[in-house]
């Protein structure tokens, strides 16, 4: 926090020099979580979209969580476009560019990472449609309503999985299954995960890479998970579970991670967690939410001849 992003321009001698950007400095209170260059306003110049993320010192709907679009003047000077984006005070994790509605203009998927102070409640993710002049409207409700409750997104990629010349949106996240959304008419997205995956792959996914690893002309996926260098262990029969609600009615979410030990699921908490945030379980309390997860250290997923990924 309180450290502005920086732009380094390569010189003729191959060295990089920092180019001052007052617009970046003005937004130093926001935490830059991800960024991408693309031509937002069809002037032939790369513009810059920056995701605003964070958790610890923020609250839900904090104005510092507003994402930003900076327009390029062609000389490497960037100016924030204040009205380019809708209000989206969400802690976001990633932004990915594709022409979602087939009008030849770059649109955006923006993945919501977390609700500050409310882990593990689901943040909203967004589908932003470009008017061709660099102004984006939130059309999530009309074209992709499932993005409002998708989960805690960590990474995503637009990639044509079935060679129909339209990219699918592959999304991964924390406590989430690998998810594939397919584009239909007018840019509407539908969940087609079962078309491509023969079973559910749920985990603490944190990274997604796409490449043709075996040279067969089809995209393969490498998906990074929590790994094994941790006290947390889970399997199909003994999944990790996260139980959460406001147990003590203080207005805050109380998440309780449960892991299996010798065949039984127990709360997994440090001594400090137990002493500073103890909760009381009541049989007449409202229904609790339970999330289950079965992790793999890393998955290499390859398409078969029928477009399913094994």
């Amino acid at each position: 926090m309180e450290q502005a992003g920086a732009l380094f321009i390569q010189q003729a001698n191959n060295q990089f020099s920092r180019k001052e950007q007052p617009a970046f400095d003005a937004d130093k209170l926001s935490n830059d979580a991800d960024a991408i260059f693309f031509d937002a306003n069809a002037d032939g110049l790369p513009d810059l979209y920056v995701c605003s993320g964070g958790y610890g010192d923020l609250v839900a709907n904090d104005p510092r969580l507003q994402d930003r679009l900076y327009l390029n003047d062609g000389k490497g000077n960037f100016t924030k476009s204040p009205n380019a984006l809708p209000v989206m005070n969400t802690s976001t994790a990633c932004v990915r560019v594709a022409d979602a509605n087939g009008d030849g203009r770059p649109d955006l998927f923006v993945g919501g990472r977390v609700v500050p102070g409310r882990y593990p409640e689901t943040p909203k993710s967004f589908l932003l449609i470009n008017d061709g002049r660099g102004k984006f409207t939130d059309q999530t409700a009309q074209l992709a309503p499932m993005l409002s409750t998708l989960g805690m997104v960590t990474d995503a990629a637009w990639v044509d999985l079935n060679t129909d010349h339209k990219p699918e949106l592959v999304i991964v996240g924390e406590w989430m299954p690998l998810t594939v959304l397919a584009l239909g008419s007018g840019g509407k997205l539908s969940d087609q995960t079962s078309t491509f995956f023969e079973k559910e792959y749920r985990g603490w996914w944190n990274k997604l890479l796409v490449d043709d690893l075996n040279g067969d002309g089809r995209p393969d996926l490498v998906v990074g998970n929590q790994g094994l260098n941790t006290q947390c262990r889970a399997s199909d029969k003994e999944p990790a579970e996260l139980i959460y609600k406001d147990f003590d009615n203080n207005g805050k979410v109380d998440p309780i991670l449960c892991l299996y030990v010798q065949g039984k699921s127990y709360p997994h908490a440090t001594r400090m967690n137990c002493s500073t945030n103890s909760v009381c379980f009541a049989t007449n309390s409202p229904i609790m939410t339970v999330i289950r997860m079965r992790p793999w250290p890393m998955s290499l997923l390859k398409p078969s001849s029928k477009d399913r990924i094994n």
Side-chain angles (χ1 to χ4, degrees):
M1 286 291 190
E2 298 191 21
Q3 182 175 357
L7 178 67
F8 291 86
I9 302 294
Q10 190 174 23
Q11 308 302 309
N13 62 358
N14 297 328
Q15 295 291 309
F16 287 85
S17 63
R18 180 170 179 172
K19 187 174 180 62
E20 293 299 322
Q21 300 289 339
F24 296 177
D25 295 335
D27 290 325
K28 67 180 181 180
L29 293 181
S30 293
N31 180 37
D32 301 340
D34 195 22
I36 194 168
F37 286 106
F38 73 108
D39 185 3
N41 55 359
D43 64 357
L45 303 172
D47 306 304
L48 178 65
Y49 186 106
V50 180
C51 291
S52 298
Y55 184 86
D57 65 339
L58 300 168
V59 296
N61 297 312
D62 194 305
R64 291 174 292 175
L65 292 173
Q66 175 66 40
D67 286 4
R68 292 150 278 146
L69 179 66
Y70 302 96
L71 300 180
N72 186 357
D73 69 354
K75 299 179 180 179
N77 301 304
F78 287 83
T79 304
K80 185 163 75 171
S81 182
N83 300 315
L85 303 177
V87 175
M88 42 193 305
N89 294 332
T90 299
S91 181
T92 54
C94 64
V95 55
R96 302 292 180 260
V97 180
D99 179 10
N101 59 357
D103 64 358
R105 302 161 180 169
D107 307 308
L108 301 171
F109 165 75
V110 183
R113 178 65 182 90
V114 71
V115 180
R118 305 288 300 180
Y119 182 92
E121 290 184 350
T122 300
K124 179 181 178 180
S125 293
F126 300 86
L127 182 63
L128 305 181
I129 300 300
N130 190 351
D131 69 354
R133 298 183 297 274
K135 183 176 177 60
F136 292 82
T137 57
D138 180 5
Q139 296 194 21
T140 308
Q142 299 90 327
L143 301 179
M146 75 290 291
L147 295 182
S148 295
T149 57
L150 188 65
M152 295 182 286
V153 175
T154 57
D155 205 354
W158 292 98
V159 54
D160 185 1
L161 294 175
N162 57 3
T163 64
D164 66 350
H165 306 292
K166 293 190 296 184
E168 280 72 43
L169 179 58
V170 184
I171 306 171
V172 301
E174 192 172 338
W175 294 99
M176 279 180 55
L178 299 181
T179 302
V180 179
L181 305 181
L183 285 170
S185 61
K188 289 186 177 181
L189 286 168
S190 62
D191 191 338
Q192 297 294 320
T193 305
S194 61
T195 301
F196 295 95
F197 293 96
E198 60 183 4
K199 64 179 181 180
E200 182 183 77
Y201 290 91
R202 184 179 292 269
W204 289 340
W205 307 113
N206 54 70
K207 188 63 178 177
L208 172 64
L209 297 175
V210 182
D211 207 338
D212 179 8
L213 300 178
N214 60 352
D216 64 356
R218 292 179 292 182
D220 306 312
L221 308 178
V222 178
V223 194
N225 206 347
Q226 173 72 2
L228 298 178
N229 187 22
T230 173
Q231 293 181 352
C232 300
R233 292 288 186 271
S235 67
D236 286 335
K237 293 183 178 180
E238 297 184 344
E241 297 175 318
L242 190 64
I243 302 170
Y244 68 98
K245 70 176 291 288
D246 181 9
F247 290 102
D248 49 1
N249 297 315
N250 66 351
K252 299 180 180 180
V253 175
D254 301 305
I256 300 175
L257 174 64
C258 296
L259 301 173
Y260 276 79
V261 179
Q262 296 181 349
K264 293 184 179 181
S265 181
Y266 295 95
H268 177 77
T270 65
R271 181 179 301 175
M272 180 173 292
N273 292 147
C274 293
S275 62
T276 61
N277 195 32
S278 58
V279 296
C280 177
F281 292 90
T283 57
N284 61 350
S285 63
I287 296 175
M288 300 173 291
T289 303
V290 180
I291 307 175
R292 291 183 173 85
M293 183 273 292
R294 300 178 296 276
W296 291 262
M298 180 174 287
S299 289
L300 171 60
L301 303 170
K302 302 179 67 60
S304 68
S305 58
K306 296 183 179 180
D307 298 323
R308 294 181 68 89
I309 297 179
N310 302 310

